[in-house]
Amino acid sequence: MNLWPAEVPKRYLTIVWGVMYLRPVKEKWSMLLSVGAGIYSAHTNIGSTRFDEVLFDGAVLFLWHLRHNLDVGFGVAINSSFGYPMGFPALYLKWTTSGRYFVNIQMVDGMNVSTGVHLNDNIDLGVCVDMNGSLALQKINGKKMMFSHTYMTVAFQPEFRIGKHVTIPVSAGLSVMRNAYYEERTLKAFFSGYGRDYDPHFNTAPYFAASVRISF
């Protein structure tokens, strides 16, 4: 079954709002709550966004502080990918080292591995490997479809700290693995791969990203 339209989306819009709340429950246990919503469209005109291009999500995870630098967790994540709330198992992993040289491994939403050096109180220099993805919701021939793009990036990443609460990581590198496919928004397609149509023609591409993190 060929589900690819005449033109694959050249631009798509992702805007996500979310809140995370971490609360200690015992000496070695914490509870992580999150709730959010996002727009995932195959166009960049936010004014023409339809309701079926909006997804809602949430999660409840229990984190075990196994060591001073190692947290593992498990719980349930909920999203509306199929047009109604569905629950899925959720895992959490965070391992860090301290000192002038650092290694961070995180598995929360995707996976991130980074290593580098603390130059001073305001600047870190590192290299990071990320496994992540993006999503666009569309209608093709009257069917509700998801365009999924999973990718792995390898990048040089300086991180700048401004005061105690603001950090600005900047990444520049390559996207070295870029799988893309269309899939019907049904449980059958999710669990069996039915209606999933891959396109193998995405090659290695330059990658650049910047963000602002604010902690309270």
Side-chain angles (χ1 to χ4, degrees), residues 18-92:
V19 177
M20 299 182 70
Y21 175 62
L22 181 64
R23 178 183 177 86
V25 291
K26 287 187 177 181
E27 181 180 356
K28 288 197 171 186
W29 287 89
S30 296
M31 182 172 62
L32 178 65
L33 304 175
S34 70
V35 62
I39 297 172
Y40 302 87
S41 63
H43 56 80
T44 56
N45 184 359
I46 192 171
S48 62
T49 300
R50 305 187 312 271
F51 184 76
D52 59 7
E53 295 172 337
V54 178
L55 296 184
F56 301 92
D57 63 84
V60 179
L61 292 100
F62 293 93
L63 311 184
W64 180 23
H65 309 297
L66 187 59
R67 297 180 181 176
H68 72 280
N69 63 342
L70 175 61
D71 295 339
V72 295
F74 57 90
V76 176
I78 299 173
N79 66 50
S80 60
S81 295
F82 305 110
Y84 47 85
M86 282 286 299
F88 304 91
L91 300 175
Y92 179 98

Side-chain angles (χ1 to χ4, degrees), residues 184-205:
E184 294 184 31
R185 293 180 65 182
T186 64
L187 281 176
K188 183 178 181 180
F190 177 79
F191 286 108
S192 69
Y194 173 80
R196 183 177 294 177
D197 197 13
Y198 287 88
D199 181 73
H201 303 300
F202 285 110
N203 297 319
T204 299

